[in-house]
Amino acid sequence: MRQWLKVTWLVLAFMGALSHPHLHAQTEPKNAGIVLLHGKWGAPHGNIKSLADALKANGYEVTTPFMPWSTKRGYDAPYPVAINELDDIVLKLRAKGLQRVYLMGTSFGANGSLAHAAYGKQAIDGVIAIAPGHTVDLPNTSQLYKKSLATAANMVKAGKGEELETFTDFNSGKRRDIAMKASVFVSYFDPNDWASMSLSAKKVSQKIPLLVLLGGPHD
């Protein structure tokens, strides 16, 4: 709980500095939307709920979607489709007349926020990445998925990318067997594709602020 209080304070301070650089700005309308993304195997009603509630209480329009990496959805769509879903949410927030829209996420949600900044079609106004996770491009993590990735890649090459297979996923020392399409597995676990945060960072062409908070909560 103490970690989340610290994260919430830092996020609100950062958002306040972006939105209103003047004194007494907290009394002014925010006119900003935030797409807040949960972590791997997480949910909108999980740990991010306290942060979402705090942001709403401070005048922000907050959306907390179930993403494909949630337990509820179980990787039911590939990474590019997840980014398209975020594009639709950004559009809906813009349609409400909000002048600024930010992507914010914890763990895998931080990965998704950065991926949207790199590959999304809709412009955003900033990214806040809290305890970025799903680091498939790091040696130790990529080794965990090496065998499964080879299996999935071979299935795709053989024209079996839409077939279901059971793959083992890892999260903070825990493991879980999840049935998903081989092509979907490749989209999320290939260290040289959209899940690579180092590659995403290089591909961001928008001039937007980025706040990275390391060592925070993960779901």
Side-chain angles (χ1 to χ4, degrees):
M1 179 61 71
R2 183 174 297 178
Q3 271 188 324
W4 272 109
L5 288 174
K6 184 181 294 185
V7 166
T8 300
W9 183 86
L10 289 169
V11 168
L12 288 172
F14 181 72
M15 295 299 297
L18 290 178
S19 304
H20 303 293
H22 305 297
L23 293 175
H24 311 298
Q26 63 270 24
T27 63
E28 301 174 9
K30 298 294 190 296
N31 197 23
I34 297 173
V35 186
L36 178 57
L37 307 181
H38 59 76
K40 182 183 285 191
W41 310 347
H45 54 268
N47 282 346
I48 65 167
K49 186 178 183 302
S50 60
L51 177 56
D53 290 343
L55 290 165
K56 290 175 184 176
N58 277 267
Y60 295 100
E61 177 89 15
V62 182
T63 300
T64 54
F66 274 100
M67 298 305 295
W69 50 84
S70 64
T71 299
K72 178 180 179 179
R73 295 185 59 180
Y75 296 100
D76 62 355
Y79 215 156
V81 171
I83 300 305
N84 289 341
E85 291 176 8
L86 294 178
D87 276 332
D88 291 341
I89 295 171
V90 172
L91 272 174
K92 289 177 182 177
L93 291 173
R94 298 285 191 198
K96 291 184 177 182
L98 298 172
Q99 293 181 355
R100 287 163 284 113
V101 177
Y102 302 94
L103 265 290
M104 184 184 306
T106 179
S107 185
F108 206 144
N111 188 309
S113 298
L114 189 58
H116 181 275
Y119 303 106
K121 295 180 178 66
Q122 300 301 318
I124 55 175
D125 298 280
V127 168
I128 298 177
I130 304 167
H134 193 64
T135 53
V136 294
D137 52 346
L138 295 183
N140 289 344
T141 307
S142 63
Q143 199 63 30
L144 291 174
Y145 298 108
K146 186 176 181 179
K147 184 176 180 180
S148 292
L149 185 60
T151 298
N154 286 333
M155 288 178 67
V156 172
K157 289 179 182 177
K160 298 179 180 180
E162 296 304 294
E163 292 186 11
L164 287 175
E165 182 60 78
T166 299
F167 298 100
T168 301
D169 193 11
F170 297 88
N171 184 22
S172 300
K174 300 176 183 178
R175 56 185 294 161
R176 182 177 294 178
D177 292 332
I178 303 175
M180 70 182 88
K181 294 178 180 179
S183 59
V184 170
F185 185 87
V186 172
S187 77
Y188 286 107
F189 295 88
D190 185 344
N192 298 305
D193 210 342
W194 287 24
S196 168
M197 286 184 280
S198 58
L199 290 180
S200 292
K202 294 176 182 177
K203 291 182 178 293
V204 176
S205 59
Q206 308 172 70
K207 293 184 178 180
I208 54 176
L210 166 67
L211 173 66
V212 179
L213 299 177
L214 300 177
H218 282 266
D219 60 358

